[in-house]
Amino acid sequence: MSNEATSCSFCGVVQSNESPLIAGREGYICEACVRLASQVIDSWSHRRAMAAAHGPVPKPKELKAKLDEYVVGQDLAKEIMSVAVYNHYKRLKSFSAGAWNATEDVELGKSNILVLGPSGSGKTLIASTLARIVGVPYVVADATTLTQAGYVGEDVESVLTRLLEVAEGNEERAEWGIVYLDEIDKLARSSEAPTGVRDVSGEGVQQALLKLVEGSEVKVPQKGKRRDGGSEVLMNTANILFIAGGAFAGLEEIVAKRVSPKKTGIGFHAKVDQTTPNLQDLLDMVQPEDLRRFGLIPEFIGRFPVLAALSPLNEESLINILLEPKNSLVKQYQKLFEYDGVKLEFTPEAVREIAKIALERGTGARGLRSVLEQLLRKPMFELPSQNGVMRCIVDEKVVRGECDIELEYVDESDTAIYVNEEVRAGNG
């Protein structure tokens, strides 16, 4: 009999009373390695099931092509986010297929995304569209409602509770989801200097989000509140993609101070540089240093390595948003009128006038729906109760309020025109 000490074939621990070994035909294994192997096998089975459910990961060009159908413009931001989402789920798919080997390959890390741009430029739309294309659970969390644990408000774990609800209680599916943290710029500190006041809904939330965003195991109540007696599940956030977005109003001024040369010359012969970069150029030049000066803590900035800046929308972009996407606003309202058997038409001049009004309001693409709601309120109120209306025509004079919307009836010789609060029939 050999005098050589028996040891685990995996980790090499020597057999003892504290570390018993299970014998095989050609080796031994200890209790710790058995538990680790069980966890790895469970993880693989879950991920194989998820990989089979979601199918292949769309390539970046395919993702962007799908985004182009719903989101107008923002080509650079769509390209950046398509690559980030593709790399994230390619990493998960390869690991779920058993391709990752700790002894041979490099372990792939997660890259969360920080999106910045003016209000109404499409930040939330791009994130939600990407989640729908990939086919994973998606939730939007308002960062302004979050507080540190123990204070009045929602804990950061409530974000995972909502994700679990969207996944219908399927923990493995929820761990492949996307969380969009909206209004993240509202968590910025008011100043760089430390103060004696505890900021429980600003810097405190940034600190509370650190482990959640980076990847950790979090106990999540299934019924929303621990006080309700609901059971808890342990969720791993390492595979959840976090996308943080905000308008970051005033950030461009911080960037401008950094990139602009210091004016040291005085007198009549001093050179004056009057060139000022536009908003989009300044947003494209944002660095982590600028975000820190804005009020985000360095630890939080470091957990969002992918930075995508969206450009402000101009008049042409708003016109394209009204007409081009699959679910454009014009098509949506035309569908609403179609349910009542009425054909809604906009002249090109009317569409441009709507875009001008929305641009003046400064609310981005969201302002378009507001303009259309006010413009079409009266016909949407009257038409369901009328018979024989065939077509509703909107021109630029109607948009400017210079005349009322014209209706065409089935008998082309009859028309109806809205005058104030009454409908008057006439002959054109």
Side-chain angles (χ1 to χ4, degrees):
M1 176 178 266
S2 174
N3 294 327
E4 185 178 349
T6 304
S7 60
C8 175
S9 302
F10 289 85
C11 66
V13 66
V14 179
Q15 183 178 16
S16 63
N17 293 333
E18 292 78 15
S19 302
L21 302 180
I22 301 173
R25 288 188 176 183
E26 298 181 358
Y28 300 86
I29 186 171
C30 66
E31 180 183 2
C33 290
V34 169
R35 293 183 183 277
L36 179 61
S38 176
Q39 294 175 3
V40 171
I41 291 173
D42 288 342
S43 177
W44 283 354
S45 63
H46 293 156
R47 286 173 170 79
R48 285 194 189 101
M50 291 300 299
H54 293 307
V57 185
K59 295 178 175 59
K61 285 189 176 181
E62 297 173 356
L63 286 173
K64 185 179 181 299
K66 284 288 185 180
L67 284 174
D68 290 338
E69 296 179 1
Y70 297 94
V71 184
V72 173
Q74 314 294 1
D75 289 331
L76 179 59
K78 288 189 289 188
E79 182 178 325
I80 293 172
M81 296 182 70
S82 297
V83 171
V85 169
Y86 172 74
N87 286 339
H88 177 77
Y89 286 100
K90 179 175 63 175
R91 158 182 169 263
L92 298 186
K93 295 282 186 179
S94 63
F95 183 69
S96 65
W100 181 77
N101 188 327
T103 61
E104 298 177 1
D105 297 338
V106 176
E107 183 177 1
L108 301 176
K110 179 177 68 170
S111 296
N112 297 308
I113 308 170
L114 180 61
V115 186
L116 48 92
S119 177
S121 56
K123 300 184 292 295
T124 308
L125 179 60
I126 293 177
S128 61
T129 305
L130 281 172
R132 186 169 65 251
I133 294 171
V134 179
V136 295
Y138 170 79
V139 295
V140 179
D142 189 353
T144 58
T145 63
L146 302 177
T147 58
Q148 281 184 285
Y151 292 87
V152 176
E154 295 185 4
D155 297 342
V156 293
E157 291 82 3
S158 64
V159 176
L160 300 182
T161 302
R162 293 173 55 190
L163 186 63
L164 193 61
E165 291 174 354
V166 172
E168 300 178 347
N170 189 325
E171 179 187 349
E172 288 78 24
R173 188 164 179 264
E175 289 181 356
W176 278 48
I178 295 178
V179 174
Y180 181 78
L181 299 172
D182 198 11
E183 306 292 349
I184 202 68
D185 55 319
K186 305 304 187 293
L187 300 182
R189 293 178 297 183
S190 57
S191 65
E192 293 184 348
T195 61
V197 180
R198 188 175 182 84
D199 188 5
V200 299
S201 60
E203 182 181 355
V205 177
Q206 293 185 52
Q207 295 171 349
L209 284 170
L210 294 180
K211 285 295 181 183
L212 192 72
V213 169
E214 185 176 20
S216 62
E217 292 187 341
V218 182
K219 288 185 178 180
V220 180
Q222 286 184 308
K223 290 187 178 180
K225 293 184 179 180
R226 296 181 176 87
R227 300 189 187 93
D228 295 340
S231 59
E232 294 181 339
V233 297
L234 193 65
M235 285 186 61
N236 190 344
T237 65
N239 295 331
I240 297 176
L241 180 63
F242 288 88
I243 303 176
F248 289 89
L251 180 62
E252 66 277 5
E253 299 176 3
I254 298 175
V255 179
K257 290 181 180 179
R258 176 176 59 83
V259 300
S260 299
K262 295 183 179 179
K263 300 178 177 61
T264 57
I266 59 174
F268 294 105
H269 299 287
K271 294 183 179 180
V272 179
D273 185 10
Q274 296 182 347
T275 59
T276 303
N278 58 35
L279 178 59
Q280 179 58 36
D281 292 338
L282 292 173
L283 292 179
D284 289 338
M285 292 186 286
V286 170
Q287 297 294 328
E289 174 190 352
D290 305 316
L291 296 172
R292 182 183 61 81
R293 292 183 178 278
F294 185 83
L296 298 183
I297 61 177
E299 299 87 347
F300 188 82
I301 298 170
R303 284 162 173 80
F304 290 88
V306 180
L307 188 64
L310 275 67
S311 60
L313 300 175
N314 55 26
E315 184 178 312
E316 292 299 326
S317 299
L318 293 176
I319 293 174
N320 293 334
I321 290 172
L322 281 169
L323 300 175
E324 290 185 1
K326 272 189 173 182
N327 59 341
S328 68
L329 287 176
V330 167
K331 295 176 183 177
Q332 290 181 35
Y333 283 95
Q334 286 176 337
K335 193 69 176 179
L336 285 175
F337 276 67
E338 187 180 324
Y339 288 141
D340 294 320
V342 180
K343 185 177 181 181
L344 176 64
E345 294 183 2
F346 291 86
T347 64
E349 295 78 10
V351 173
R352 182 169 295 276
E353 195 66 29
I354 292 171
K356 287 180 180 179
I357 295 175
L359 191 63
E360 292 172 358
R361 295 183 179 181
T363 53
R366 291 188 180 94
L368 295 172
R369 184 177 291 273
S370 176
V371 175
L372 287 171
E373 283 288 338
Q374 295 177 7
L375 184 64
L376 302 175
R377 176 188 58 83
K378 189 62 177 180
M380 287 191 295
F381 178 78
E382 296 283 355
L383 288 181
S385 303
Q386 294 186 12
N387 296 322
V389 179
M390 179 182 65
R391 190 167 59 165
C392 179
I393 304 173
V394 179
D395 58 20
E396 71 277 13
K397 293 183 179 179
V398 173
V399 179
R400 291 196 294 262
E402 297 175 359
C403 66
D404 301 302
I405 294 178
E406 179 181 348
L407 299 181
E408 290 188 1
Y409 285 79
V410 176
D411 184 0
E412 294 184 358
S413 62
D414 295 330
T415 61
I417 301 177
Y418 284 115
V419 179
N420 297 329
E421 299 295 325
E422 299 179 354
V423 178
R424 176 174 59 83
N427 292 321

